[in-house]
Amino acid sequence: MTLDSWRNHGRVVLAEVADILAHQLTPAARAQLALPAWPDNADGFESAYLAVRRAFHAAEAVMDPSPLPKRRLPRADALRLEQQADQEQLAARRQLLVEVTNRIVEASLAPARAVIEEFWDGSAAVDATPIRTFSRGVSATGPDTATDPDAAWYVRESNHRDPATAPQECNTRSGGKTRKAKRYLFGFEATLVVTGDTSAGPPGSPSAAARDHSQHLPALVLAFTVHKPGHDPAGNAITALRDMRRRNYPTGWLAADRAYNAALPENLHIPVRDLGYRPIWDYRIDQLGIQGTHAGALLIDGTWYCPNLPEALTTTTADLLNKKIDRNTWRARIDARASYRLRPKAAPDHRGARRMLCPVAGTHPTVACPVKYRSLGRDPRLPLIDIVPAPAGHPEICRRESLTFTRDIGIRHWQELDHGRAPWVHHYFRLRNRVEHFNGYAKDHEAIERSRTRRICGIAAQSLLLAFQIAHANHRKLASWLDTLQTNNQPARRRPSNRHKLKNPHRWTPNGYLPDTTPETFGNLTHPAPHTPPEQHKHIWPSANPQRARSRPPQQQSRSMRQSVALTGLIWSVDLGVRGGT
């Protein structure tokens, strides 16, 4: 399947897999795989094809997290099968599917793992993209299911869930009108975790100008999971992130769109921080403004502020979205609001609790407050807080120099960077652009959204075939990027060299980097070694009429396929856990 995906832009067709196994492998590879000798005719090909189909379905059956058969069913029978299914067994199958499919993706990253960890700071972005299924969708309220009962309708708005399957309170807006879908797509969603890069500063900063942008790691998928559109986006994101941590990838900043931070803290925010990530959120318009309080401090747009913050500064971003102020006024208010923020006194402890300083406290106050007289007269440029008298007296944060904030306080909205300021804009949009770039890249080249690239039903089969498409996209991006790295004081090439021998003395091979003295007969993934095809034989392809089956001359084989046969040893390194009986 890997060889077939290399010559078909990531697409895997079982008929071509059967042809590779039956007629295109070398005798040594066939002996190592213990393959039978199928006759070189139409009957032999049909036997090989049936063996491939049985092996594929046997593999995906033990990883199928759905109890439904892959055919049209009465909806009542489908509901009964789902209720009678063993949920623990389905959860184990789900975990196995995630592990196996991500091992396929990891195989495309393993040869360059050392380079990835060298140029990557651990930051990532998570997002879901729709993928079609080959089945034709039917109404979710009809009497029968589709021929692919695991799939569902994707809606291009809100949380992407079909209004007919969403809870009743999510189907209506004010006035009791049912929301209308802008675009429908029948299939699945794939939640992708894509590498990001936030090490360079914002545009115009000294660090950004001095950094060599050719050394930025390309956007690569490190983990993914497939699920129904709009169903548990937070849980699927955590599943993919945990699989990354299982493979010991570093952690850093994590960006996600508004569909994720609206989840409950126990479903997303707490697990994300337990994994070691530092989330960066954006907010819906109804989430802006005051999001919570603690000891008088106000949580506004994800940051803790002084309780005496001017009212005009509490609704700054909401006023911009409601077109009450222009962008220049918004920017001036965002910068003015930074003086009122609470400052961290020390790093969080082992439980995640952090000590926060009042903006007036310390030797370098950022505002002047009449409650704490020593802050008055220090700097006439500091903003003066206008105290509002209250019958209960001053809040606790005003009576103390610092206060402890446990990890659970405001965890649903709190983030380290000030929402709207330059560092937040740089980190958030830089990471979000990376995941959107990969979505478009894989849709253009590997056609991951089109159903014709995966003509098979079932979430397990769709996940397996999609894994090879994502791995192929990773391989192409890595191969192009590694050819442009600057080495030995040589300027970075913007385009890969078309010459067979690389100018880069440290060439990338399936086993990592090798010096230039390595014999060229070994080759590498970017420039495979020349391969002498095995003895001439006919390549029988499937045909509706076995008598009209035509042979495919070896000279018509794609060059990439002939070259990749020499690298069959790489396939043995893709350990899918089959040998252990899994």
Side-chain angles (χ1 to χ4, degrees), residues 503-555:
K503 296 181 180 179
N504 191 340
H506 299 285
R507 298 182 295 109
W508 184 44
T509 70
N511 294 326
Y513 278 118
L514 289 180
D516 201 25
T517 57
T518 302
E520 287 296 332
T521 55
F522 185 79
N524 55 66
L525 293 182
T526 310
H527 299 272
H531 174 65
T532 302
E535 56 185 4
Q536 304 297 324
H537 55 265
K538 295 181 180 181
H539 300 273
I540 305 300
W541 291 83
S543 174
N545 186 353
Q547 302 299 328
R548 298 180 58 188
R550 298 180 299 173
S551 62
R552 187 183 185 191
Q555 59 269 22

Side-chain angles (χ1 to χ4, degrees), residues 33 40 43 168 236 246 264 269 315 336 342 356 448 474-475 489 530 541 549 564:
L33 291 174
D40 194 359
D43 293 337
Q168 185 64 28
N236 289 289
R246 180 184 61 83
L264 296 176
H269 304 80
T315 58
L342 273 62
M356 305 292 288
I448 63 173
N474 282 343
H475 163 69
N489 298 325
W541 291 83
S564 61

Side-chain angles (χ1 to χ4, degrees), residues 50-229:
L50 290 177
V52 168
R53 281 181 58 90
R54 287 194 299 267
F56 178 83
H57 288 296
E60 59 96 9
V62 298
M63 298 180 290
D64 190 358
S66 172
L68 303 179
K70 312 313 173 194
R71 55 182 173 83
R72 196 180 301 277
L73 297 169
R75 199 165 296 277
D77 293 347
L79 181 60
R80 176 179 52 82
L81 291 175
E82 290 178 344
Q83 293 175 348
Q84 296 177 354
D86 186 353
Q87 298 302 321
E88 293 184 0
Q89 183 184 27
L90 296 182
R93 290 182 179 182
R94 174 72 174 176
Q95 180 62 32
L96 182 61
L97 178 64
V98 171
E99 182 176 347
V100 170
T101 53
N102 281 281
R103 282 191 177 189
I104 297 174
V105 174
E106 178 66 20
S108 66
L109 306 171
R113 181 67 180 266
V115 188
I116 293 174
E117 295 181 354
E118 177 184 357
F119 290 93
W120 182 45
D121 61 356
S123 299
V126 58
D127 193 20
T129 185
I131 58 171
R132 293 180 183 271
T133 184
F134 196 64
S135 172
R136 179 176 296 180
V138 298
S139 174
T141 59
D144 298 329
T145 66
T147 53
D148 191 347
D150 300 339
W153 286 104
Y154 172 89
V155 180
R156 181 67 76 178
E157 67 173 7
S158 185
N159 60 357
H160 309 313
R161 188 166 181 171
D162 185 6
T165 61
Q168 185 64 28
E169 60 270 14
C170 299
N171 292 339
T172 58
R173 295 177 178 176
S174 58
K177 297 181 180 179
T178 304
R179 61 183 178 91
K180 296 181 179 180
K182 294 183 179 180
R183 176 193 173 195
Y184 273 105
L185 179 151
F186 191 74
F188 302 92
E189 262 189 327
T191 297
L192 309 177
V193 182
V194 179
T195 60
D197 184 12
T198 60
S199 56
S205 63
S207 59
R211 184 175 176 84
D212 184 7
H213 293 278
S214 65
Q215 297 185 359
H216 287 180
L217 186 72
L220 304 170
V221 171
L222 300 183
F224 83 102
T225 180
V226 178
H227 52 89
K228 286 186 177 182

Side-chain angles (χ1 to χ4, degrees), residues 255-257 280-282 424-432:
D257 60 17
I280 310 174
W281 309 122
D282 194 11
W424 180 89
V425 171
H426 168 74
H427 284 66
Y428 181 78
F429 288 103
R430 190 179 181 91
L431 294 176
R432 289 282 300 135

Side-chain angles (χ1 to χ4, degrees), residues 238 241-242 245 251-254 260-261 263-281 283 299 302-304 348-354 405-417:
I238 294 300
L241 292 173
R242 283 175 177 165
R245 293 298 296 147
T251 59
W253 297 101
L254 178 69
Y260 293 91
N261 66 321
L264 296 176
E266 58 271 18
N267 295 337
L268 178 69
H269 304 80
I270 295 177
V272 160
R273 288 181 167 87
D274 288 341
L275 291 173
Y277 289 97
R278 304 159 69 185
I280 310 174
W281 309 122
Y283 306 105
L299 181 62
T303 304
W304 291 101
D349 60 14
H350 65 282
R351 296 171 297 181
R354 55 196 184 278
F405 288 73
T406 61
R407 189 184 67 166
D408 297 336
I409 297 177
I411 192 174
R412 189 173 187 178
H413 301 289
W414 175 78
Q415 56 182 325
E416 295 184 39
L417 301 178

Side-chain angles (χ1 to χ4, degrees), residues 278-316:
R278 304 159 69 185
I280 310 174
W281 309 122
D282 194 11
Y283 306 105
R284 301 192 309 262
I285 189 171
D286 59 336
Q287 296 174 328
L288 296 170
I290 299 178
Q291 300 164 329
T293 61
H294 175 63
L298 303 177
L299 181 62
I300 300 174
D301 298 350
T303 304
W304 291 101
Y305 290 98
C306 170
N308 296 293
L309 182 70
E311 184 177 358
L313 302 182
T314 61
T315 58
T316 300

